[in-house]
Amino acid sequence: MADTLIDVKDLRIHFFTDEGVVRAVGGVDLAITRGKTLALVGESGCGKSVACRALLNIVHRPGKIVSGEIIFHRMFHQSSGSGSDASVDIAELNPKGREIRDIRGKEIAMIFQEPMTSFSSMYTIGNQIMENILLHTNLSKQEARILTIELLDKVGIPKPSRLIDEYPFRLSGGMRQRAMIAMALSCSPTLLIADEPTTALDVTTQANILDLMQNLQKQYEMTLLFITHDLGVVAEIADEVAVMYLGKIIEKSDVFTLFNSPAHPYTQALLKSVPKIAMTREALDPIKGMVPNPYSRPSGCPFHPRCPKAFAACKTIVPKTTSLGLHHTVQCLLYEDVTERQATEALS
Amino acid sequence: MLTYILRRLLYMIPVMFIISILVFLTIQLPPGDPITKMIENQRLQQGRVFSEKDIEMMQARFGYGDPLPVQYTKWIGNIVLRGDFGYSFYKREEAGKVIADLMPLTIAISLGSFIFTWIVALPIGVLSAVRQYSIADYVFTFIGFIGLAIPNFLLALILLVLGLTTFHTSFTGLFSSAEIQQAPWSLAKVWDLLKHAWVPMVVIGTGGTAGLIRIMRANLLDELHKPYVETARAKGLSEMRLLVKYPLRHAMNPFVSGFAYLLPYLVAGEAIVAIVMNLPTEGPTLLNSLLNLDVYLGGGILLLISFMTLISTLLSDILLAWLDPRIRYGN
């Protein structure tokens, strides 16, 4: 596919703890389309944050990418000649090496969840934004400062030429998240990863930040990977949605299909558990049970202990990715020919 | 920042006043009075007998017989107005001169041990944190705990014995001979001092080093997984630059505040080492003066050390404020 920016194939990330191995990401296939917004949705602890950190190869110990590929199709659209063969496997790069460090902050930038603690309180926000510019460009300190002020202005920080010299703890959460966005944009990245950027903010600020991100995405022609557990946010900004459960992408489709005809029982349950204004008297319909203990994952389909539609085969057979239409895939035995699977597995 | 420093300097005045009262009361505590004791000593040792008139004169000079507040006023007034710390009956010198002779060496030794502590503890602490649970971490942790567990005076004794039996030099004192110690300062004297001073610096620094390694390690471990470190890593900073600029800077505070306890730690805690190693510092002198009812010398040393502790606390606070903007802005 020519318009794929990042192609994740069978990515597995394990955490080697004293209590045992946690398979945080257990074989994820995911293609991110260039210029689109992909929302990665899931409950806390489903592995979505770890998976997106793998795109920058910053999974920290005791976590480790054990297998899989993350093919990053870079595009050099200038005179640099053959731009066709510029893809690189991020999972293979040395996490401390030069190559991946040149990608971080420059081609793939990231916005984090906690605007309170994601900036260091020891340095001004200007210092920390300029650091990114000076690291990846040949601009002088003066030029970097001017660019930083422009960026701060662009993300809607008032009096940017004064606030550039302000320490993070003197700014509000919303302002800090804006500064964080300015920092991420400073080298015009092709992919912006946002790990729950609005979760720690109040609702009004949330809406402002979402608007800002959508505008900037158009301006910079960026691809956006948006990690969230908030389906309202998904509906607002996503083009495509991938639903993650226990380290697997169990359903992926465009945003309309997902909200109109969700295929996986988990997605259906997730949508049902969202409160709607129209539904005044009915009680909410939460998903029953809890996310299983990470040290003892269920056999077969990971969702079967909580699934209302589970049947006998779900306990033993791990569902494969089934295509339900153009751009709509699901991992669920309801959509597979189970008898055929059982037959082939019995043979092997 | 300037107002902060000025305010702190102003605060020091009442604190110093209270300290001076405490010191005065402390030197008044032992039974007997120093003049009687001196007269007795002189009579026993040299057979010298003071006349009634002489005794009265001495008592008048130091205000004995006056009520305590009057004595205190005389004492502190002489110190503040004339720099007169009184007379050392034991050393038979002006107390001020005795203190002034010892103070530079005391400060030099404290600073030296402090710098030794920093130079050793900082890199080892960082290494133990960054390579947590590695062999190096375990080795340094082991050595660190041994250093922490061995009393300094014992280490001093071991070094003295080693020096005499293996290296055939004496590690005692700060100078090769008494002549050099008395001589005026010259390059040769400084060189001689440096040749001798490293031993007490290492001995005194060892206990502190072990403690500081543990503090550095624990602090840095706390900082290494903070979100701002991840942000910096996501920018593409190299691990080394990242470590120095972010988590290390955040973990430095306890190091800097340790600066304030430098002098009292040395004088009070390490007096035993100084006695074992025969160091011409304030610690042993203070002990002797207290044992011999040499009240003016003892009081003077206590007062000066308190004063310098206040100064170094101020210095470390200024350093902290300069280092950490959160303190500067009062958050």
Side-chain angles (χ1 to χ4, degrees), chain B residues 154-217:
Chain B
L154 188 66
L155 193 63
L157 282 174
I158 293 171
L159 272 179
L160 290 188
V161 171
L162 265 182
L164 285 173
T165 55
T166 321
F167 303 106
H168 303 290
T169 50
S170 164
F171 283 148
T172 52
L174 284 177
F175 298 98
S176 301
S177 64
E179 290 89 67
I180 298 180
Q181 190 173 342
Q182 301 299 323
W185 283 99
S186 64
L187 267 180
K189 186 175 176 180
V190 172
W191 177 239
D192 194 61
L193 172 68
L194 286 179
K195 272 199 296 190
H196 287 80
W198 69 269
V199 184
M201 282 176 192
V202 169
V203 170
I204 295 166
T206 310
T209 305
L212 214 52
I213 288 175
R214 301 308 295 170
I215 293 174
M216 188 71 218
R217 181 176 180 274

Side-chain angles (χ1 to χ4, degrees), chain A residues 53 58 96 101 104-105 112 117-123 127-128 131-132 135-136 167 169-170 183, chain B residues 130 227-228 230-231 233-239 241 245-246 249-250 323-326 328-329 331:
Chain A
R53 273 160 181 73
I58 53 170
K96 290 177 181 173
R101 284 197 278 116
R104 289 178 195 156
F112 294 91
T117 48
S118 292
F119 274 116
S120 161
S121 52
M122 293 286 179
Y123 304 94
N127 174 311
Q128 295 179 62
E131 183 181 43
N132 198 39
L135 203 61
H136 296 295
Y167 286 95
F169 55 83
R170 313 250 296 165
M183 182 158 81
Chain B
V130 176
Y228 67 82
E230 198 167 41
T231 310
R233 190 168 285 131
K235 278 189 214 174
L237 276 179
S238 74
E239 288 297 308
R241 266 182 70 184
K245 181 169 177 184
Y246 293 101
R249 174 85 184 263
H250 281 255
L323 197 68
D324 190 340
R326 283 171 301 186
R328 205 151 62 233
Y329 284 102
N331 276 51

Side-chain angles (χ1 to χ4, degrees), chain B residues 12 45 144 171 182 195 219 226 251 259:
Chain B
M12 278 172 65
Q45 283 161 15
F171 283 148
Q182 301 299 323
K195 272 199 296 190
N219 280 333
K226 291 267 171 81
F259 188 69

Side-chain angles (χ1 to χ4, degrees), chain A residues 14-35:
Chain A
H14 294 179
F15 279 74
F16 299 91
T17 67
D18 290 342
E19 289 85 33
V21 177
V22 178
R23 293 176 176 78
V25 175
V28 158
D29 296 286
L30 188 64
I32 305 175
T33 316
R34 197 183 293 275

Side-chain angles (χ1 to χ4, degrees), chain A residues 72-282:
Chain A
F72 177 33
H73 298 281
R74 305 158 103 166
M75 192 145 72
F76 298 111
H77 30 65
Q78 290 115 327
S79 53
S80 55
S82 56
S84 54
D85 196 28
S87 59
V88 56
D89 183 359
I90 289 174
E92 240 185 12
L93 298 176
N94 172 10
K96 290 177 181 173
R98 182 87 238 172
E99 248 185 302
I100 184 68
R101 284 197 278 116
D102 282 342
I103 294 175
R104 289 178 195 156
K106 187 184 183 190
E107 292 176 69
I108 305 179
M110 189 153 173
I111 300 169
F112 294 91
Q113 179 177 357
E114 289 285 334
M116 298 291 168
T117 48
S118 292
F119 274 116
S120 161
S121 52
M122 293 286 179
Y123 304 94
T124 60
I125 54 163
N127 174 311
Q128 295 179 62
I129 297 174
M130 280 162 64
E131 183 181 43
N132 198 39
I133 300 170
L134 294 172
L135 203 61
H136 296 295
T137 65
N138 294 322
L139 294 184
S140 71
K141 262 198 169 163
Q142 260 313 310
E143 292 166 322
R145 192 181 161 85
I146 292 166
L147 177 61
T148 305
I149 295 175
E150 277 171 23
L151 283 163
L152 289 176
D153 191 37
K154 195 171 265 177
V155 297
I157 286 186
K159 296 181 223 138
S161 50
R162 197 174 65 78
L163 284 172
I164 186 174
D165 293 319
E166 207 50 92
Y167 286 95
F169 55 83
R170 313 250 296 165
L171 303 178
S172 69
M175 283 298 142
R176 256 179 283 203
Q177 201 54 293
R178 283 169 195 271
M180 183 58 80
I181 293 171
M183 182 158 81
L185 292 177
S186 60
C187 291
S188 311
T190 34
L191 172 64
L192 180 64
I193 304 170
D195 185 6
E196 309 213 22
T198 56
T199 307
L201 305 173
D202 64 76
V203 187
T204 324
T205 321
Q206 245 181 46
N208 292 337
I209 297 279
L210 284 181
D211 280 348
L212 175 71
M213 289 187 69
Q214 275 183 301
N215 286 334
L216 292 169
Q217 188 203 6
K218 280 191 200 100
Q219 256 182 64
Y220 282 78
E221 297 175 347
M222 278 183 307
T223 311
L224 190 59
L225 174 59
F226 202 100
I227 290 105
T228 183
H229 61 254
D230 186 339
L231 288 166
V233 172
V234 174
E236 194 173 330
I237 68 157
D239 299 311
E240 294 172 290
V241 189
V243 183
M244 206 163 170
Y245 185 79
L246 278 189
K248 291 192 167 211
I249 307 277
I250 48 121
E251 183 165 9
K252 191 197 168 189
S253 81
D254 63 89
V255 67
F256 300 107
T257 313
L258 191 101
F259 277 91
N260 290 330
S261 50
H264 199 286
Y266 176 62
T267 318
Q268 292 166 356
L270 212 56
L271 287 171
K272 259 191 230 154
S273 67
V274 176
K276 292 176 195 71
I277 292 179
M279 149 189 129
T280 41
R281 295 251 167 74
E282 293 163 67

